[in-house]
Amino acid sequence: MSLDMANQTFSDDYSKTYIAVETVIGILAVLGNILVIWAVKLNPSLQNTTFFFIVSLAFADLAVGVLVMPLAIVVSLGKHLHFHSCLFMCCLLIILTNASILSLLAISIDRYLRVKIPTRYKAVITTRRICVSIWCVWIVSLIVGLVPMFGWNNRSTLQNNRSTLQEEEKNYLKCKFENVIRMDYMVYFNTFGWVFLPLLIMLALYIEIFYLIRKHLAKGKSNVKGKGMFYGKEYKTAKSLSLVLLLFALSWLPLSVLNCLILFKPSVKDSSVFPPALLIAILLSHANSAMNPIIYAFKIKKFKDSYIQIIRSYILHRVMLTESPSSEHTLDEISQE
């Protein structure tokens, strides 16, 4: 997550390219996730348990676009900031990453319960429990992400290395991720505990989900037709959501692996391949926030239909208003056509 090594070897042209790509990713993440939240708000058929967790994930991805992308650009420019200001900026990305992965975990648990106990699902997964789960996701993410603010950071190391400077000067530094965040926190606590472990749990849950669905579909061929339709829909939904999980893993694992290499084999930073690999891993992790709305559009028909309705009634139709003000329709009117 640090751009220190990259900035030392890359020219201004590379820096401009990085900023341009970050900007594009940020805009796509903001627009795409606003569309997701908007679709769920306007479409009653999307207002159920799984989609509430998807909204939680969309809020995390939206915050990445609104907050993290601009801050990442500030960090890439190497601005001198107060230690704790820089530290808080870096903690924001950790908080939002954890919120994303815990939202994905909540989604996988929800889908597992839906196929494991379909007859008791609605009694177990109530609106109140959904709200409590979403609050827990964000509270836990906040606590885990803010741990460096309470002492597990590099301030003491920096002060020891700069003991000859005035106290006021010690509190200011070139804002880089590795300057403020300790790699043992990132690897042992955050990566192992809040990235790898949840991913393994989700992998096990989705394997069990597909096993249960296939088992019930096999039985459904000779039993109740309605049951087969239920598990057929669940199979399609599970495939779409497992794709979301797969892309999250592919987007974040390269950066997690690089963080592990920085801690366990520091000499890797001297390699000429490391700076470009680090930049690509950073951009890939940020790009994940713009991927999910696209997946929903292609893999979940309810989302695709809602996107089309929103674009027709709230975007294209606004453009047409200048020519024909009397032709305005609401989303509800269009959906009834």
Side-chain angles (χ1 to χ4, degrees), residues 195-231:
V195 177
F196 290 166
L197 182 59
L199 284 175
L200 288 174
I201 293 172
M202 284 185 273
L203 176 62
L205 285 172
Y206 275 106
I207 290 172
E208 181 67 9
I209 287 169
F210 285 116
Y211 169 75
L212 290 171
I213 290 174
R214 288 183 178 276
K215 185 174 74 171
H216 285 289
L217 284 175
K219 288 182 180 179
K221 290 179 181 178
S222 58
N223 293 328
V224 184
K225 184 179 179 182
K227 208 170 185 180
M229 291 177 63
F230 168 80
Y231 285 105

PDB file of all heavy atoms in Angstrom, residues 195-231:
ATOM      1  N   VAL A 195      -8.220 -10.891   6.434  1.00  0.00           N
ATOM      2  CA  VAL A 195      -8.311 -11.088   4.990  1.00  0.00           C
ATOM      3  C   VAL A 195      -8.263 -12.580   4.664  1.00  0.00           C
ATOM      4  O   VAL A 195      -9.228 -13.142   4.137  1.00  0.00           O
ATOM      5  CB  VAL A 195      -7.190 -10.336   4.238  1.00  0.00           C
ATOM      6  CG1 VAL A 195      -7.271 -10.629   2.729  1.00  0.00           C
ATOM      7  CG2 VAL A 195      -7.300  -8.831   4.468  1.00  0.00           C
ATOM      8  N   PHE A 196      -7.154 -13.243   5.007  1.00  0.00           N
ATOM      9  CA  PHE A 196      -7.013 -14.662   4.670  1.00  0.00           C
ATOM     10  C   PHE A 196      -8.047 -15.543   5.379  1.00  0.00           C
ATOM     11  O   PHE A 196      -8.681 -16.394   4.749  1.00  0.00           O
ATOM     12  CB  PHE A 196      -5.605 -15.153   5.020  1.00  0.00           C
ATOM     13  CG  PHE A 196      -4.526 -14.602   4.127  1.00  0.00           C
ATOM     14  CD1 PHE A 196      -3.187 -14.725   4.485  1.00  0.00           C
ATOM     15  CD2 PHE A 196      -4.832 -13.952   2.945  1.00  0.00           C
ATOM     16  CE1 PHE A 196      -2.185 -14.219   3.668  1.00  0.00           C
ATOM     17  CE2 PHE A 196      -3.848 -13.446   2.123  1.00  0.00           C
ATOM     18  CZ  PHE A 196      -2.521 -13.578   2.488  1.00  0.00           C
ATOM     19  N   LEU A 197      -8.236 -15.348   6.693  1.00  0.00           N
ATOM     20  CA  LEU A 197      -9.172 -16.189   7.433  1.00  0.00           C
ATOM     21  C   LEU A 197     -10.613 -16.043   6.934  1.00  0.00           C
ATOM     22  O   LEU A 197     -11.275 -17.051   6.658  1.00  0.00           O
ATOM     23  CB  LEU A 197      -9.087 -15.880   8.934  1.00  0.00           C
ATOM     24  CG  LEU A 197      -9.992 -16.723   9.847  1.00  0.00           C
ATOM     25  CD1 LEU A 197      -9.684 -18.201   9.697  1.00  0.00           C
ATOM     26  CD2 LEU A 197      -9.837 -16.277  11.311  1.00  0.00           C
ATOM     27  N   PRO A 198     -11.142 -14.801   6.779  1.00  0.00           N
ATOM     28  CA  PRO A 198     -12.498 -14.679   6.213  1.00  0.00           C
ATOM     29  C   PRO A 198     -12.614 -15.283   4.810  1.00  0.00           C
ATOM     30  O   PRO A 198     -13.646 -15.878   4.481  1.00  0.00           O
ATOM     31  CB  PRO A 198     -12.732 -13.168   6.183  1.00  0.00           C
ATOM     32  CG  PRO A 198     -11.862 -12.632   7.263  1.00  0.00           C
ATOM     33  CD  PRO A 198     -10.644 -13.488   7.232  1.00  0.00           C
ATOM     34  N   LEU A 199     -11.579 -15.129   3.984  1.00  0.00           N
ATOM     35  CA  LEU A 199     -11.624 -15.707   2.643  1.00  0.00           C
ATOM     36  C   LEU A 199     -11.712 -17.231   2.695  1.00  0.00           C
ATOM     37  O   LEU A 199     -12.456 -17.850   1.920  1.00  0.00           O
ATOM     38  CB  LEU A 199     -10.403 -15.275   1.833  1.00  0.00           C
ATOM     39  CG  LEU A 199     -10.411 -13.845   1.289  1.00  0.00           C
ATOM     40  CD1 LEU A 199      -9.084 -13.522   0.606  1.00  0.00           C
ATOM     41  CD2 LEU A 199     -11.568 -13.624   0.326  1.00  0.00           C
ATOM     42  N   LEU A 200     -10.973 -17.848   3.615  1.00  0.00           N
ATOM     43  CA  LEU A 200     -11.039 -19.305   3.768  1.00  0.00           C
ATOM     44  C   LEU A 200     -12.416 -19.747   4.244  1.00  0.00           C
ATOM     45  O   LEU A 200     -12.963 -20.754   3.769  1.00  0.00           O
ATOM     46  CB  LEU A 200      -9.959 -19.775   4.750  1.00  0.00           C
ATOM     47  CG  LEU A 200      -8.516 -19.721   4.244  1.00  0.00           C
ATOM     48  CD1 LEU A 200      -7.541 -20.072   5.362  1.00  0.00           C
ATOM     49  CD2 LEU A 200      -8.330 -20.672   3.065  1.00  0.00           C
ATOM     50  N   ILE A 201     -12.992 -18.996   5.179  1.00  0.00           N
ATOM     51  CA  ILE A 201     -14.336 -19.319   5.674  1.00  0.00           C
ATOM     52  C   ILE A 201     -15.352 -19.213   4.540  1.00  0.00           C
ATOM     53  O   ILE A 201     -16.210 -20.086   4.364  1.00  0.00           O
ATOM     54  CB  ILE A 201     -14.733 -18.386   6.836  1.00  0.00           C
ATOM     55  CG1 ILE A 201     -13.842 -18.657   8.058  1.00  0.00           C
ATOM     56  CG2 ILE A 201     -16.208 -18.574   7.206  1.00  0.00           C
ATOM     57  CD1 ILE A 201     -14.028 -17.646   9.179  1.00  0.00           C
ATOM     58  N   MET A 202     -15.250 -18.133   3.744  1.00  0.00           N
ATOM     59  CA  MET A 202     -16.182 -17.946   2.628  1.00  0.00           C
ATOM     60  C   MET A 202     -16.014 -19.030   1.572  1.00  0.00           C
ATOM     61  O   MET A 202     -17.001 -19.507   0.995  1.00  0.00           O
ATOM     62  CB  MET A 202     -15.990 -16.560   2.017  1.00  0.00           C
ATOM     63  CG  MET A 202     -16.586 -15.448   2.858  1.00  0.00           C
ATOM     64  SD  MET A 202     -16.465 -13.835   2.061  1.00  0.00           S
ATOM     65  CE  MET A 202     -14.850 -13.318   2.605  1.00  0.00           C
ATOM     66  N   LEU A 203     -14.769 -19.432   1.327  1.00  0.00           N
ATOM     67  CA  LEU A 203     -14.525 -20.511   0.370  1.00  0.00           C
ATOM     68  C   LEU A 203     -15.216 -21.787   0.830  1.00  0.00           C
ATOM     69  O   LEU A 203     -15.900 -22.458   0.036  1.00  0.00           O
ATOM     70  CB  LEU A 203     -13.020 -20.740   0.219  1.00  0.00           C
ATOM     71  CG  LEU A 203     -12.597 -21.904  -0.689  1.00  0.00           C
ATOM     72  CD1 LEU A 203     -13.077 -21.656  -2.115  1.00  0.00           C
ATOM     73  CD2 LEU A 203     -11.087 -22.088  -0.647  1.00  0.00           C
ATOM     74  N   ALA A 204     -15.077 -22.108   2.118  1.00  0.00           N
ATOM     75  CA  ALA A 204     -15.718 -23.308   2.667  1.00  0.00           C
ATOM     76  C   ALA A 204     -17.241 -23.203   2.580  1.00  0.00           C
ATOM     77  O   ALA A 204     -17.926 -24.184   2.238  1.00  0.00           O
ATOM     78  CB  ALA A 204     -15.284 -23.504   4.118  1.00  0.00           C
ATOM     79  N   LEU A 205     -17.783 -22.011   2.867  1.00  0.00           N
ATOM     80  CA  LEU A 205     -19.238 -21.822   2.817  1.00  0.00           C
ATOM     81  C   LEU A 205     -19.770 -21.987   1.398  1.00  0.00           C
ATOM     82  O   LEU A 205     -20.805 -22.644   1.187  1.00  0.00           O
ATOM     83  CB  LEU A 205     -19.603 -20.435   3.356  1.00  0.00           C
ATOM     84  CG  LEU A 205     -19.537 -20.264   4.878  1.00  0.00           C
ATOM     85  CD1 LEU A 205     -19.728 -18.795   5.255  1.00  0.00           C
ATOM     86  CD2 LEU A 205     -20.591 -21.114   5.575  1.00  0.00           C
ATOM     87  N   TYR A 206     -19.097 -21.412   0.420  1.00  0.00           N
ATOM     88  CA  TYR A 206     -19.583 -21.526  -0.952  1.00  0.00           C
ATOM     89  C   TYR A 206     -19.448 -22.950  -1.491  1.00  0.00           C
ATOM     90  O   TYR A 206     -20.292 -23.402  -2.277  1.00  0.00           O
ATOM     91  CB  TYR A 206     -18.885 -20.519  -1.867  1.00  0.00           C
ATOM     92  CG  TYR A 206     -19.534 -19.158  -1.844  1.00  0.00           C
ATOM     93  CD1 TYR A 206     -18.949 -18.081  -1.185  1.00  0.00           C
ATOM     94  CD2 TYR A 206     -20.770 -18.950  -2.451  1.00  0.00           C
ATOM     95  CE1 TYR A 206     -19.561 -16.835  -1.148  1.00  0.00           C
ATOM     96  CE2 TYR A 206     -21.387 -17.709  -2.429  1.00  0.00           C
ATOM     97  CZ  TYR A 206     -20.785 -16.660  -1.766  1.00  0.00           C
ATOM     98  OH  TYR A 206     -21.407 -15.432  -1.721  1.00  0.00           O
ATOM     99  N   ILE A 207     -18.411 -23.651  -1.090  1.00  0.00           N
ATOM    100  CA  ILE A 207     -18.306 -25.066  -1.469  1.00  0.00           C
ATOM    101  C   ILE A 207     -19.491 -25.842  -0.914  1.00  0.00           C
ATOM    102  O   ILE A 207     -20.123 -26.645  -1.618  1.00  0.00           O
ATOM    103  CB  ILE A 207     -16.972 -25.661  -0.961  1.00  0.00           C
ATOM    104  CG1 ILE A 207     -15.795 -25.090  -1.748  1.00  0.00           C
ATOM    105  CG2 ILE A 207     -16.990 -27.193  -1.078  1.00  0.00           C
ATOM    106  CD1 ILE A 207     -14.439 -25.479  -1.200  1.00  0.00           C
ATOM    107  N   GLU A 208     -19.835 -25.583   0.353  1.00  0.00           N
ATOM    108  CA  GLU A 208     -20.973 -26.250   0.975  1.00  0.00           C
ATOM    109  C   GLU A 208     -22.287 -25.810   0.321  1.00  0.00           C
ATOM    110  O   GLU A 208     -23.201 -26.630   0.126  1.00  0.00           O
ATOM    111  CB  GLU A 208     -21.000 -25.937   2.472  1.00  0.00           C
ATOM    112  CG  GLU A 208     -22.133 -26.592   3.249  1.00  0.00           C
ATOM    113  CD  GLU A 208     -22.030 -28.101   3.331  1.00  0.00           C
ATOM    114  OE1 GLU A 208     -20.985 -28.660   2.929  1.00  0.00           O
ATOM    115  OE2 GLU A 208     -22.998 -28.734   3.798  1.00  0.00           O
ATOM    116  N   ILE A 209     -22.408 -24.530  -0.033  1.00  0.00           N
ATOM    117  CA  ILE A 209     -23.623 -24.021  -0.692  1.00  0.00           C
ATOM    118  C   ILE A 209     -23.855 -24.752  -2.018  1.00  0.00           C
ATOM    119  O   ILE A 209     -24.961 -25.237  -2.291  1.00  0.00           O
ATOM    120  CB  ILE A 209     -23.511 -22.500  -0.929  1.00  0.00           C
ATOM    121  CG1 ILE A 209     -23.669 -21.747   0.392  1.00  0.00           C
ATOM    122  CG2 ILE A 209     -24.573 -22.032  -1.933  1.00  0.00           C
ATOM    123  CD1 ILE A 209     -23.302 -20.272   0.315  1.00  0.00           C
ATOM    124  N   PHE A 210     -22.820 -24.848  -2.836  1.00  0.00           N
ATOM    125  CA  PHE A 210     -22.980 -25.507  -4.134  1.00  0.00           C
ATOM    126  C   PHE A 210     -23.247 -27.002  -3.963  1.00  0.00           C
ATOM    127  O   PHE A 210     -24.014 -27.592  -4.744  1.00  0.00           O
ATOM    128  CB  PHE A 210     -21.741 -25.265  -5.005  1.00  0.00           C
ATOM    129  CG  PHE A 210     -21.668 -23.887  -5.583  1.00  0.00           C
ATOM    130  CD1 PHE A 210     -20.647 -23.012  -5.239  1.00  0.00           C
ATOM    131  CD2 PHE A 210     -22.641 -23.444  -6.467  1.00  0.00           C
ATOM    132  CE1 PHE A 210     -20.594 -21.732  -5.767  1.00  0.00           C
ATOM    133  CE2 PHE A 210     -22.590 -22.161  -7.011  1.00  0.00           C
ATOM    134  CZ  PHE A 210     -21.569 -21.307  -6.654  1.00  0.00           C
ATOM    135  N   TYR A 211     -22.640 -27.591  -2.942  1.00  0.00           N
ATOM    136  CA  TYR A 211     -22.904 -29.011  -2.679  1.00  0.00           C
ATOM    137  C   TYR A 211     -24.370 -29.227  -2.308  1.00  0.00           C
ATOM    138  O   TYR A 211     -25.042 -30.122  -2.839  1.00  0.00           O
ATOM    139  CB  TYR A 211     -21.993 -29.506  -1.545  1.00  0.00           C
ATOM    140  CG  TYR A 211     -22.384 -30.875  -1.027  1.00  0.00           C
ATOM    141  CD1 TYR A 211     -22.098 -32.028  -1.758  1.00  0.00           C
ATOM    142  CD2 TYR A 211     -23.067 -31.003   0.187  1.00  0.00           C
ATOM    143  CE1 TYR A 211     -22.478 -33.273  -1.283  1.00  0.00           C
ATOM    144  CE2 TYR A 211     -23.436 -32.244   0.669  1.00  0.00           C
ATOM    145  CZ  TYR A 211     -23.143 -33.377  -0.071  1.00  0.00           C
ATOM    146  OH  TYR A 211     -23.532 -34.612   0.398  1.00  0.00           O
ATOM    147  N   LEU A 212     -24.900 -28.403  -1.405  1.00  0.00           N
ATOM    148  CA  LEU A 212     -26.293 -28.533  -0.977  1.00  0.00           C
ATOM    149  C   LEU A 212     -27.257 -28.275  -2.126  1.00  0.00           C
ATOM    150  O   LEU A 212     -28.257 -28.989  -2.291  1.00  0.00           O
ATOM    151  CB  LEU A 212     -26.586 -27.557   0.174  1.00  0.00           C
ATOM    152  CG  LEU A 212     -25.924 -27.864   1.516  1.00  0.00           C
ATOM    153  CD1 LEU A 212     -26.118 -26.696   2.488  1.00  0.00           C
ATOM    154  CD2 LEU A 212     -26.498 -29.142   2.114  1.00  0.00           C
ATOM    155  N   ILE A 213     -26.966 -27.257  -2.933  1.00  0.00           N
ATOM    156  CA  ILE A 213     -27.847 -26.937  -4.060  1.00  0.00           C
ATOM    157  C   ILE A 213     -27.872 -28.077  -5.065  1.00  0.00           C
ATOM    158  O   ILE A 213     -28.951 -28.498  -5.527  1.00  0.00           O
ATOM    159  CB  ILE A 213     -27.400 -25.625  -4.741  1.00  0.00           C
ATOM    160  CG1 ILE A 213     -27.682 -24.427  -3.832  1.00  0.00           C
ATOM    161  CG2 ILE A 213     -28.134 -25.438  -6.072  1.00  0.00           C
ATOM    162  CD1 ILE A 213     -27.151 -23.107  -4.351  1.00  0.00           C
ATOM    163  N   ARG A 214     -26.715 -28.589  -5.418  1.00  0.00           N
ATOM    164  CA  ARG A 214     -26.655 -29.692  -6.377  1.00  0.00           C
ATOM    165  C   ARG A 214     -27.372 -30.934  -5.840  1.00  0.00           C
ATOM    166  O   ARG A 214     -28.057 -31.636  -6.584  1.00  0.00           O
ATOM    167  CB  ARG A 214     -25.192 -30.018  -6.720  1.00  0.00           C
ATOM    168  CG  ARG A 214     -24.522 -28.979  -7.594  1.00  0.00           C
ATOM    169  CD  ARG A 214     -23.110 -29.385  -7.967  1.00  0.00           C
ATOM    170  NE  ARG A 214     -22.473 -28.417  -8.834  1.00  0.00           N
ATOM    171  CZ  ARG A 214     -22.622 -28.370 -10.152  1.00  0.00           C
ATOM    172  NH1 ARG A 214     -23.418 -29.260 -10.749  1.00  0.00           N
ATOM    173  NH2 ARG A 214     -22.004 -27.456 -10.871  1.00  0.00           N
ATOM    174  N   LYS A 215     -27.221 -31.196  -4.548  1.00  0.00           N
ATOM    175  CA  LYS A 215     -27.894 -32.342  -3.938  1.00  0.00           C
ATOM    176  C   LYS A 215     -29.411 -32.195  -4.025  1.00  0.00           C
ATOM    177  O   LYS A 215     -30.125 -33.133  -4.398  1.00  0.00           O
ATOM    178  CB  LYS A 215     -27.458 -32.490  -2.478  1.00  0.00           C
ATOM    179  CG  LYS A 215     -28.021 -33.732  -1.801  1.00  0.00           C
ATOM    180  CD  LYS A 215     -27.449 -33.920  -0.413  1.00  0.00           C
ATOM    181  CE  LYS A 215     -28.059 -32.924   0.559  1.00  0.00           C
ATOM    182  NZ  LYS A 215     -27.677 -33.224   1.967  1.00  0.00           N
ATOM    183  N   HIS A 216     -29.909 -30.997  -3.704  1.00  0.00           N
ATOM    184  CA  HIS A 216     -31.356 -30.764  -3.750  1.00  0.00           C
ATOM    185  C   HIS A 216     -31.882 -30.735  -5.177  1.00  0.00           C
ATOM    186  O   HIS A 216     -33.014 -31.173  -5.430  1.00  0.00           O
ATOM    187  CB  HIS A 216     -31.699 -29.457  -3.032  1.00  0.00           C
ATOM    188  CG  HIS A 216     -31.641 -29.556  -1.540  1.00  0.00           C
ATOM    189  ND1 HIS A 216     -32.569 -30.268  -0.801  1.00  0.00           N
ATOM    190  CD2 HIS A 216     -30.769 -29.045  -0.631  1.00  0.00           C
ATOM    191  CE1 HIS A 216     -32.273 -30.183   0.482  1.00  0.00           C
ATOM    192  NE2 HIS A 216     -31.182 -29.450   0.620  1.00  0.00           N
ATOM    193  N   LEU A 217     -31.082 -30.207  -6.122  1.00  0.00           N
ATOM    194  CA  LEU A 217     -31.510 -30.214  -7.513  1.00  0.00           C
ATOM    195  C   LEU A 217     -31.624 -31.637  -8.049  1.00  0.00           C
ATOM    196  O   LEU A 217     -32.529 -31.948  -8.833  1.00  0.00           O
ATOM    197  CB  LEU A 217     -30.533 -29.407  -8.369  1.00  0.00           C
ATOM    198  CG  LEU A 217     -30.621 -27.881  -8.264  1.00  0.00           C
ATOM    199  CD1 LEU A 217     -29.508 -27.224  -9.063  1.00  0.00           C
ATOM    200  CD2 LEU A 217     -31.981 -27.381  -8.737  1.00  0.00           C
ATOM    201  N   ALA A 218     -30.688 -32.499  -7.635  1.00  0.00           N
ATOM    202  CA  ALA A 218     -30.745 -33.901  -8.048  1.00  0.00           C
ATOM    203  C   ALA A 218     -32.005 -34.578  -7.511  1.00  0.00           C
ATOM    204  O   ALA A 218     -32.674 -35.344  -8.209  1.00  0.00           O
ATOM    205  CB  ALA A 218     -29.507 -34.642  -7.570  1.00  0.00           C
ATOM    206  N   LYS A 219     -32.356 -34.265  -6.264  1.00  0.00           N
ATOM    207  CA  LYS A 219     -33.583 -34.821  -5.671  1.00  0.00           C
ATOM    208  C   LYS A 219     -34.815 -34.223  -6.322  1.00  0.00           C
ATOM    209  O   LYS A 219     -35.829 -34.880  -6.494  1.00  0.00           O
ATOM    210  CB  LYS A 219     -33.609 -34.538  -4.168  1.00  0.00           C
ATOM    211  CG  LYS A 219     -32.621 -35.348  -3.355  1.00  0.00           C
ATOM    212  CD  LYS A 219     -32.773 -35.017  -1.881  1.00  0.00           C
ATOM    213  CE  LYS A 219     -31.797 -35.820  -1.032  1.00  0.00           C
ATOM    214  NZ  LYS A 219     -31.918 -35.479   0.406  1.00  0.00           N
ATOM    215  N   GLY A 220     -34.712 -32.927  -6.686  1.00  0.00           N
ATOM    216  CA  GLY A 220     -35.871 -32.215  -7.225  1.00  0.00           C
ATOM    217  C   GLY A 220     -36.346 -32.753  -8.554  1.00  0.00           C
ATOM    218  O   GLY A 220     -37.493 -32.538  -8.944  1.00  0.00           O
ATOM    219  N   LYS A 221     -35.486 -33.475  -9.285  1.00  0.00           N
ATOM    220  CA  LYS A 221     -35.883 -34.024 -10.574  1.00  0.00           C
ATOM    221  C   LYS A 221     -37.009 -35.034 -10.441  1.00  0.00           C
ATOM    222  O   LYS A 221     -37.825 -35.201 -11.332  1.00  0.00           O
ATOM    223  CB  LYS A 221     -34.675 -34.673 -11.255  1.00  0.00           C
ATOM    224  CG  LYS A 221     -33.637 -33.656 -11.712  1.00  0.00           C
ATOM    225  CD  LYS A 221     -32.446 -34.342 -12.350  1.00  0.00           C
ATOM    226  CE  LYS A 221     -31.401 -33.308 -12.781  1.00  0.00           C
ATOM    227  NZ  LYS A 221     -30.210 -33.951 -13.375  1.00  0.00           N
ATOM    228  N   SER A 222     -37.048 -35.713  -9.293  1.00  0.00           N
ATOM    229  CA  SER A 222     -38.084 -36.728  -9.099  1.00  0.00           C
ATOM    230  C   SER A 222     -39.085 -36.328  -8.031  1.00  0.00           C
ATOM    231  O   SER A 222     -39.997 -37.079  -7.723  1.00  0.00           O
ATOM    232  CB  SER A 222     -37.432 -38.065  -8.705  1.00  0.00           C
ATOM    233  OG  SER A 222     -36.662 -37.892  -7.529  1.00  0.00           O
ATOM    234  N   ASN A 223     -38.903 -35.126  -7.467  1.00  0.00           N
ATOM    235  CA  ASN A 223     -39.804 -34.669  -6.408  1.00  0.00           C
ATOM    236  C   ASN A 223     -40.573 -33.416  -6.821  1.00  0.00           C
ATOM    237  O   ASN A 223     -40.950 -33.274  -7.978  1.00  0.00           O
ATOM    238  CB  ASN A 223     -39.006 -34.425  -5.118  1.00  0.00           C
ATOM    239  CG  ASN A 223     -38.461 -35.717  -4.554  1.00  0.00           C
ATOM    240  OD1 ASN A 223     -39.065 -36.754  -4.696  1.00  0.00           O
ATOM    241  ND2 ASN A 223     -37.308 -35.652  -3.942  1.00  0.00           N
ATOM    242  N   VAL A 224     -40.717 -32.470  -5.892  1.00  0.00           N
ATOM    243  CA  VAL A 224     -41.526 -31.281  -6.126  1.00  0.00           C
ATOM    244  C   VAL A 224     -40.839 -30.342  -7.111  1.00  0.00           C
ATOM    245  O   VAL A 224     -39.671 -29.990  -6.935  1.00  0.00           O
ATOM    246  CB  VAL A 224     -41.782 -30.538  -4.792  1.00  0.00           C
ATOM    247  CG1 VAL A 224     -42.705 -29.340  -5.024  1.00  0.00           C
ATOM    248  CG2 VAL A 224     -42.402 -31.492  -3.781  1.00  0.00           C
ATOM    249  N   LYS A 225     -41.586 -29.899  -8.128  1.00  0.00           N
ATOM    250  CA  LYS A 225     -41.025 -29.024  -9.145  1.00  0.00           C
ATOM    251  C   LYS A 225     -40.659 -27.662  -8.564  1.00  0.00           C
ATOM    252  O   LYS A 225     -39.613 -27.085  -8.888  1.00  0.00           O
ATOM    253  CB  LYS A 225     -42.031 -28.864 -10.277  1.00  0.00           C
ATOM    254  CG  LYS A 225     -41.486 -28.034 -11.438  1.00  0.00           C
ATOM    255  CD  LYS A 225     -42.517 -27.914 -12.542  1.00  0.00           C
ATOM    256  CE  LYS A 225     -41.971 -27.057 -13.674  1.00  0.00           C
ATOM    257  NZ  LYS A 225     -42.965 -26.889 -14.754  1.00  0.00           N
ATOM    258  N   GLY A 226     -41.503 -27.133  -7.693  1.00  0.00           N
ATOM    259  CA  GLY A 226     -41.257 -25.827  -7.097  1.00  0.00           C
ATOM    260  C   GLY A 226     -39.966 -25.780  -6.325  1.00  0.00           C
ATOM    261  O   GLY A 226     -39.259 -24.775  -6.320  1.00  0.00           O
ATOM    262  N   LYS A 227     -39.652 -26.885  -5.668  1.00  0.00           N
ATOM    263  CA  LYS A 227     -38.403 -26.950  -4.906  1.00  0.00           C
ATOM    264  C   LYS A 227     -37.206 -26.847  -5.850  1.00  0.00           C
ATOM    265  O   LYS A 227     -36.210 -26.194  -5.552  1.00  0.00           O
ATOM    266  CB  LYS A 227     -38.362 -28.259  -4.120  1.00  0.00           C
ATOM    267  CG  LYS A 227     -37.539 -28.195  -2.850  1.00  0.00           C
ATOM    268  CD  LYS A 227     -37.753 -29.443  -2.038  1.00  0.00           C
ATOM    269  CE  LYS A 227     -37.016 -29.331  -0.699  1.00  0.00           C
ATOM    270  NZ  LYS A 227     -37.208 -30.534   0.126  1.00  0.00           N
ATOM    271  N   GLY A 228     -37.335 -27.514  -7.028  1.00  0.00           N
ATOM    272  CA  GLY A 228     -36.261 -27.446  -8.010  1.00  0.00           C
ATOM    273  C   GLY A 228     -36.071 -26.037  -8.537  1.00  0.00           C
ATOM    274  O   GLY A 228     -34.945 -25.584  -8.742  1.00  0.00           O
ATOM    275  N   MET A 229     -37.172 -25.296  -8.722  1.00  0.00           N
ATOM    276  CA  MET A 229     -37.081 -23.903  -9.182  1.00  0.00           C
ATOM    277  C   MET A 229     -36.402 -23.028  -8.143  1.00  0.00           C
ATOM    278  O   MET A 229     -35.587 -22.164  -8.472  1.00  0.00           O
ATOM    279  CB  MET A 229     -38.480 -23.365  -9.480  1.00  0.00           C
ATOM    280  CG  MET A 229     -39.138 -24.001 -10.699  1.00  0.00           C
ATOM    281  SD  MET A 229     -40.825 -23.397 -10.959  1.00  0.00           S
ATOM    282  CE  MET A 229     -40.514 -21.663 -11.254  1.00  0.00           C
ATOM    283  N   PHE A 230     -36.725 -23.264  -6.858  1.00  0.00           N
ATOM    284  CA  PHE A 230     -36.106 -22.487  -5.774  1.00  0.00           C
ATOM    285  C   PHE A 230     -34.596 -22.675  -5.772  1.00  0.00           C
ATOM    286  O   PHE A 230     -33.837 -21.694  -5.751  1.00  0.00           O
ATOM    287  CB  PHE A 230     -36.692 -22.918  -4.424  1.00  0.00           C
ATOM    288  CG  PHE A 230     -35.938 -22.393  -3.234  1.00  0.00           C
ATOM    289  CD1 PHE A 230     -36.130 -21.090  -2.799  1.00  0.00           C
ATOM    290  CD2 PHE A 230     -35.020 -23.192  -2.558  1.00  0.00           C
ATOM    291  CE1 PHE A 230     -35.428 -20.586  -1.710  1.00  0.00           C
ATOM    292  CE2 PHE A 230     -34.318 -22.705  -1.461  1.00  0.00           C
ATOM    293  CZ  PHE A 230     -34.522 -21.401  -1.042  1.00  0.00           C
ATOM    294  N   TYR A 231     -34.152 -23.921  -5.821  1.00  0.00           N
ATOM    295  CA  TYR A 231     -32.712 -24.181  -5.779  1.00  0.00           C
ATOM    296  C   TYR A 231     -32.034 -23.797  -7.088  1.00  0.00           C
ATOM    297  O   TYR A 231     -30.843 -23.465  -7.097  1.00  0.00           O
ATOM    298  CB  TYR A 231     -32.452 -25.640  -5.422  1.00  0.00           C
ATOM    299  CG  TYR A 231     -32.678 -25.929  -3.960  1.00  0.00           C
ATOM    300  CD1 TYR A 231     -33.810 -26.618  -3.536  1.00  0.00           C
ATOM    301  CD2 TYR A 231     -31.778 -25.477  -3.005  1.00  0.00           C
ATOM    302  CE1 TYR A 231     -34.024 -26.865  -2.175  1.00  0.00           C
ATOM    303  CE2 TYR A 231     -31.983 -25.709  -1.654  1.00  0.00           C
ATOM    304  CZ  TYR A 231     -33.116 -26.400  -1.251  1.00  0.00           C
ATOM    305  OH  TYR A 231     -33.322 -26.627   0.097  1.00  0.00           O
TER     306      TYR A 231
END
